[in-house]
Amino acid sequence: MSTASNGSVSLYYEVDGDPDRGTVLLLGDAGYGAWQWGWQHAGLTGPFETVVTDLRGTGRSDAPPGPYTVDDFVADVQAVLEAHGSRRIHVVGAGLGGMVALELARLSSRPRSLALLGTAPVGADLTLDPLYGDPSDPDALEASLAAALSRDFLDAHPDVVEQVVEWRAAEDATPEAWAAQAAAVEAFDVSDRLYEVDVPSLVIHGRDDAVWPVERGRRLARELPRGEFVGLDGGHLIGIERSRAVNDRLFGFLGA
C-alpha cells in the first residue's frame, strides 16, 4: 500500500507481482473504487506486476473540489508511475479510465499497449447518471447496478450483487466527487487525435451496454491506428459480467 502526490493531491495505489514480467496499470471507471478490478487483478498478478490506483475522488485517494479533467487524471497517473518507478507499462482502462489511458498514450511514451473496456473517444451526450449510487444509500447502490450489468447476470448472481454493494459503500465516489469525475468524461474528445495513439490497442465492449453505447467502442477501435475490437454479450461492467472471456483476451493480448 503506497501513496504518490500530484501537488497537494494524495493518490493511493497498490502493487503486486513480479516487475520483471512486465507491469500492468489498471485505471477504473467514473465513480467506482478499485473493487471493480477484483475479477482481473488476481488473474493478472503473477503473470504480470499489477498497479491499481484509486482515481482522485474515489477510494483512499483525495477528492479535491471539481470539476476534474482527463488531464488532471493523466497528471495523477504520471505521479503514481514516477513514485513506483515504472517506465514502460501496459494499461488497462475502463470507461473514464480508458479515456485517461488514451490521453496518457497520446502524450507519453510509457504505454506499451492499451486495453480499453467500455470506453469511447468522445464523452459528450453520454448520460452517466444511471450508473451512480450514493455510497451512503445501499438501495441506490443496488438499483444502479441495473444500468451496469444485465438482468440475467443480476438474477443469477445475488451473492455477487451483495458483495459489490458492500465494496461500493466503502470505496465509491461521493455525489460531489462523482459530479467532478463525470465532468471529465463530458468534456473529453480525442476523436481528431486518435492517429497519435500508435500502440497496440484492444477495445472490449459489452454489446448491451446501456450507458456507453457499443458503437462508440467500435468507432474507437476503427479509428485507432492499431485498434482491435471485441464485442461481448453483456452490459457496461463487462469485466465483471464476462470476466473469463475478458481475462482470456487480456492474457492473449498482453502476452503477445
Side-chain angles (χ1 to χ4, degrees), residues 3 26 48 79 83 98-99 110 131 201 250 254:
T3 58
L26 300 167
F48 302 94
M99 291 176 164
R110 289 183 189 271
L131 293 171
S201 302
L250 288 176
L254 298 175

Side-chain angles (χ1 to χ4, degrees), residues 152-202:
D152 286 347
F153 182 89
L154 294 170
D155 290 344
H157 301 283
D159 54 333
V160 174
V161 172
E162 182 178 358
Q163 181 63 78
V164 167
V165 168
E166 290 183 14
W167 286 332
R168 293 187 68 188
E171 300 180 22
D172 278 11
T174 64
E176 295 78 15
W178 159 258
Q181 290 190 350
V185 173
E186 173 68 23
F188 184 74
D189 186 349
V190 75
S191 56
D192 62 347
R193 289 164 288 169
L194 287 175
Y195 68 91
E196 298 176 7
V197 182
D198 61 356
V199 297
S201 302
L202 177 66

Side-chain angles (χ1 to χ4, degrees), residues 72-89:
D72 291 330
F73 293 112
V74 170
D76 292 346
V77 169
Q78 294 276 37
V80 168
L81 295 176
E82 287 291 336
H84 174 245
S86 303
R87 300 187 66 182
R88 298 298 307 281
I89 54 168

Side-chain angles (χ1 to χ4, degrees), residues 122-128 185-186 211 213 216:
V122 180
D125 301 324
L126 292 176
T127 304
L128 302 184
V185 173
E186 173 68 23
V211 177
R216 296 207 186 192

